[in-house]
Structure formats: structure tokens, C-alpha cells
Amino acid sequence: MHLFDLLEKSLLSCEIEDKIQSVNLIKNSIKHLTGHTGYWESDDSGILDIDQAGIPKNLQLVPPNQVKKRSYVSVEGYAALLHSICHIEFNAINLALDAAYRFRLLPKKFTFDWLKVAFEEVYHFSLMRERLQELGFDYGDFEAHNNLWDMAYKTSYDPLVRMALVPRVLEARGLDVTPAMQKKIAQKKDFKTCEVLEIIYHDEVGHVKIGNYWYQHLANQRGLDAIELFKQLISRYELFICKGYVNKEARYEAGFSELELNLLEVFEKSLEPQQQWKFALSRTK
Ligand SMILES: [Fe+2]
């Protein structure tokens, strides 16, 4: 089977086990078939417009303010918290598959990079799902919002915009919030979940780095100023990119520049983004 057909199948799979199996099939077939040009060759004629990637049929999508309250205290609230991480990881599988599937005319390295991300996201999802199952719940038992996939859909017309707003904004947010979450979970003495979060955190630095690399590469290729473009994009898409702490250390490791990190910090405190960007730029000159 052709790589992009396999990717399409994986992306559209709604059953959890089916999706995991078909991603693993890609992982195994790639080892044997990378030398076969037929496995890779493709044009963009068969690419589907996917308004919703496959998610479990029983998973109810609701607006973000209707998602069940998470808590570190009650069992159900804690399960809702772990479920929200499972949901992020399941979405992350779809996001990585979609990048590899949709932007197939980019160099093979792009496809490889996002496949590697998809393989790691399957691992993250499986680990976190196990933690949820130990509490007596499973993925699909709680309601979830669709912000991540919505952004993938909105940016499906251009890999540069996708790289700018999905890995660099939404996925990078995970780097900011994970350390504090780990601390609270450690206080609860759920060390197994802490270990899973450590694996996720470590790998996510690499995923954001891949997003940063391709964002910069595509911007350079088009002769665009990457920072100026980023500012325009985040105001156009009205993203709440930095509510709270910005993990400068992890983001620096993930390929953000000093200038961008200063901008992000100022932006976070800002109610008037445009003015604050100008302020940050003048500060860093
Ligand atoms: Fe992940």
C-alpha cells in the first residue's frame, strides 16, 4: 500500500485500536519500503479536505467552557484531568498525521519529521490512556473541546501557517504548563503519571523544535520575515497564546529565539497585543 493511502486511513480512523494499529503499520512499512519510490510518489490531486479527523464515536465535542471541571482532589475530577491530556495526545496523533499527509509536496524530510512525531504521539497517548484506565475510565468517557483540530483545519491551506500556529503556538503551550502540573501530581503521589508527563515533556520539546525548523525554513524560502509574519498571524487568528507562565528555557531549547521569547512574555501580559509587540521590539533592539 502507498504511504499516503496509509496515512489517510490512519487519519480517518475513529476506533482507537485501529488508529494505533495503522500508525504502527506505517512505522513498520517505512523501514522496508523507504527505498521504493512507488511508496512515496504522489501528487496533490488525491488529498482530501478533512474537516474532522477520526476520533472515537462516543467522544462528545463541546465548546471549551462546557468541558467538565478538572481537579486534583476528587477521583472523577482527576480522571477528567488525565482525560484532557489523553485528548491532547490523541489530537496530536491526528495533527502529525495530517501534516505528513497534507503537505506531501514538501521535501521528504518534512514527511519523515511528522511521521516520527506521530509515532511518539501514539506512545504518549497509550501511556496516558493506561493511567486513565487505572482510575477506571477510558478515553471518550468525558466531553472534550476541539480547539486543536479546529486550528489544524483552519491552517490546512498552507504549511507555513500550520507550522506557525499549531506546533509553535498550541503545542508549545504544553511546555509552559507541564512542569506546574507535574508538581501538583507529585504532591498527590501519583508518580507513575509524573513519569509519563516527563516522557511527554521531553519529546514535546523535539516536536516544537521540528515546527520551528520548518516554520523558519518555509519563511526563508518565501523571503518573509518570520517574526513579522508570526505577529500578523497571531493577531489574525485571535489566539490566546500565552496566558500565564512562559517556559523560556524549554522554548529556547525548542528553537525559539531570544527575541521571540521576549515578545511572548510581553504579549502574555498584554491586553492590547499590537502595542505590546511594538514595545517588546523596541526593548530588544
Ligand atoms: Fe505528545
Side-chain angles (χ1 to χ4, degrees):
M1 208 174 177
H2 197 284
L3 171 66
F4 296 104
D5 293 333
L6 287 171
L7 276 171
E8 189 176 295
K9 185 173 172 289
S10 313
L11 194 50
L12 295 174
S13 282
C14 293
E15 298 294 329
I16 297 173
E17 311 304 341
D18 283 357
K19 194 182 290 282
I20 291 175
Q21 257 182 28
S22 60
V23 173
N24 286 335
L25 185 66
I26 294 173
K27 197 174 176 180
N28 294 330
S29 64
I30 261 186
K31 287 179 201 154
H32 306 295
L33 294 168
T34 38
H36 295 242
T37 43
Y39 183 66
W40 287 94
E41 267 169 17
S42 178
D43 55 34
D44 59 357
S45 60
I47 302 173
L48 298 180
D49 181 32
I50 300 173
D51 59 359
Q52 179 59 63
I55 51 173
K57 290 212 167 78
N58 62 328
L59 179 73
Q60 261 199 303
L61 295 174
V62 295
N65 59 358
Q66 287 176 30
V67 171
K68 186 177 166 53
K69 254 219 159 322
R70 298 142 197 185
S71 149
Y72 290 89
V73 186
S74 71
V75 174
E76 201 167 334
Y78 189 54
L81 175 76
L82 300 191
H83 186 273
S84 71
I85 305 171
C86 281
H87 183 58
I88 290 171
E89 299 304 329
F90 199 81
N91 266 291
I93 302 171
N94 282 334
L95 295 173
L97 292 174
D98 190 73
Y101 168 77
R102 186 159 310 287
F103 306 123
R104 63 184 71 175
L105 298 185
L106 290 175
K108 266 187 195 175
K109 180 178 170 7
F110 181 92
T111 313
F112 263 123
D113 280 351
W114 287 102
L115 286 176
K116 178 182 176 284
V117 175
F119 303 152
E120 288 179 357
E121 300 296 8
V122 163
Y123 179 52
H124 298 171
F125 171 75
S126 305
L127 291 175
M128 196 46 82
R129 186 187 182 202
E130 263 178 48
R131 302 302 309 134
L132 182 63
Q133 285 172 330
E134 268 195 37
L135 292 180
F137 295 86
D138 201 356
Y139 181 49
D141 285 352
F142 293 90
E143 291 164 338
H145 68 71
N146 209 24
N147 278 3
L148 276 171
W149 181 260
D150 282 347
M151 187 50 73
Y153 185 61
K154 282 182 197 163
T155 57
S156 54
Y157 68 96
D158 187 341
L160 175 60
V161 183
R162 170 73 63 86
M163 294 298 110
L165 300 180
V166 176
R168 281 168 46 89
V169 174
L170 300 180
E171 294 185 288
R173 192 76 191 111
L175 301 179
D176 301 332
V177 301
T178 304
M181 192 188 286
Q182 260 178 313
K183 253 190 196 165
K184 284 191 180 169
I185 292 177
Q187 281 166 5
K188 246 183 101 63
K189 305 209 183 308
D190 180 359
F191 299 116
K192 280 189 187 170
T193 302
C194 280
E195 275 171 33
V196 171
L197 282 177
E198 191 57 39
I199 294 170
I200 292 178
Y201 180 74
H202 173 266
D203 290 346
E204 293 304 333
V205 171
H207 301 174
V208 176
K209 199 170 188 171
I210 288 171
N212 266 322
Y213 170 84
W214 284 106
Y215 174 68
Q216 197 65 51
H217 176 88
L218 293 168
N220 290 347
Q221 208 174 44
R222 297 182 198 181
L224 297 168
D225 179 325
I227 291 185
E228 204 51 48
L229 175 67
F230 188 55
K231 279 160 51 187
Q232 286 173 16
L233 287 172
I234 56 171
S235 50
R236 197 194 305 166
Y237 282 82
E238 293 174 352
L239 290 156
F240 297 103
I241 55 166
C242 288
K243 284 192 288 181
Y245 167 69
V246 175
N247 186 345
K248 288 176 92 171
E249 198 185 321
R251 283 176 177 258
Y252 191 69
E253 206 188 324
F256 283 89
S257 68
E258 245 351 285
L259 172 61
E260 283 178 300
L261 290 173
N262 289 335
L263 288 169
L264 284 168
E265 254 195 345
V266 173
F267 192 86
E268 173 228 335
K269 294 168 190 152
S270 158
L271 290 173
E272 295 172 324
Q274 293 304 329
Q275 283 177 4
Q276 295 291 352
W277 281 113
K278 277 182 206 153
F279 169 65
L281 276 170
S282 66
R283 265 199 336 167
T284 47
K285 262 176 196 162

